[in-house]
Amino acid sequence: MAKPVEPRQDIDGLDQSWLTEILWLWRFWQCRRRAVRWRLNNEMFERAAMALPRLRDFGNETYGTAEVSGQIWIVRERYFHGWPDPPRFFFFALSDGSIWSAADFADWPVTWCRETGRDGTPEAHL
């Protein structure tokens, strides 16, 4: 008699392989080195979430969005973060409606700044 196969448990729900996970992390580290001005653009996030509804599961709110080299970059923030909870932020880079990079991170990169207020003045570092 055949033993029933248990369904695979996917920890984060993105169904990526280990190789893809490593590739995404390497790409994320490359993204951290780029100078990016982030802004809060919920419309950009909503369009991306329509294509990939699972984006809503990563974080409680959209912290910033950016369009970089034709990609949509999104950072989501978690209300509860730090050990034993996951890091504060989750980063997505989407290209042509699919995930190009994704990673958790705790420390905001020095090269990234976020627009604040209605006048668009950037914060020096978060």
Side-chain angles (χ1 to χ4, degrees):
M1 184 148 97
K3 184 177 177 182
V5 176
E6 301 239 351
R8 191 175 132 230
Q9 294 268 334
D10 185 22
I11 294 171
D12 63 11
L14 294 174
D15 281 334
Q16 74 272 20
S17 67
W18 282 103
L19 183 59
T20 302
E21 181 81 21
I22 292 167
L23 177 62
W24 285 353
L25 286 172
W26 182 80
R27 288 175 175 171
F28 171 67
W29 283 100
Q30 297 301 310
C31 293
R32 287 179 65 97
R33 297 172 53 192
R34 296 186 70 168
V36 178
R37 178 173 284 181
W38 292 87
R39 62 189 180 283
L40 183 57
N41 183 339
N42 282 323
E43 182 181 322
M44 185 183 292
F45 171 72
E46 290 302 325
R47 282 192 319 236
M50 292 299 286
L52 295 165
R54 293 298 317 256
L55 295 184
R56 294 183 189 283
D57 296 343
F58 294 87
N60 300 101
E61 68 180 343
T62 302
Y63 192 75
T65 59
E67 209 164 333
V68 180
S69 300
Q71 296 176 332
I72 296 174
W73 289 13
I74 299 168
V75 171
R76 301 274 290 163
E77 183 178 25
R78 296 178 175 107
Y79 295 148
F80 299 100
H81 53 83
W83 192 88
D85 295 316
R88 180 178 176 188
F89 300 109
F90 197 90
F91 168 83
F92 285 102
L94 306 175
S95 182
D96 297 324
S98 62
I99 299 171
W100 183 80
S101 178
D104 286 305
F105 69 102
D107 299 319
W108 193 259
V110 176
T111 56
W112 292 359
C113 64
R114 184 170 159 229
E115 292 180 355
T116 60
R118 296 188 191 278
D119 61 354
T121 56
E123 292 179 355
H125 179 67
L126 298 177

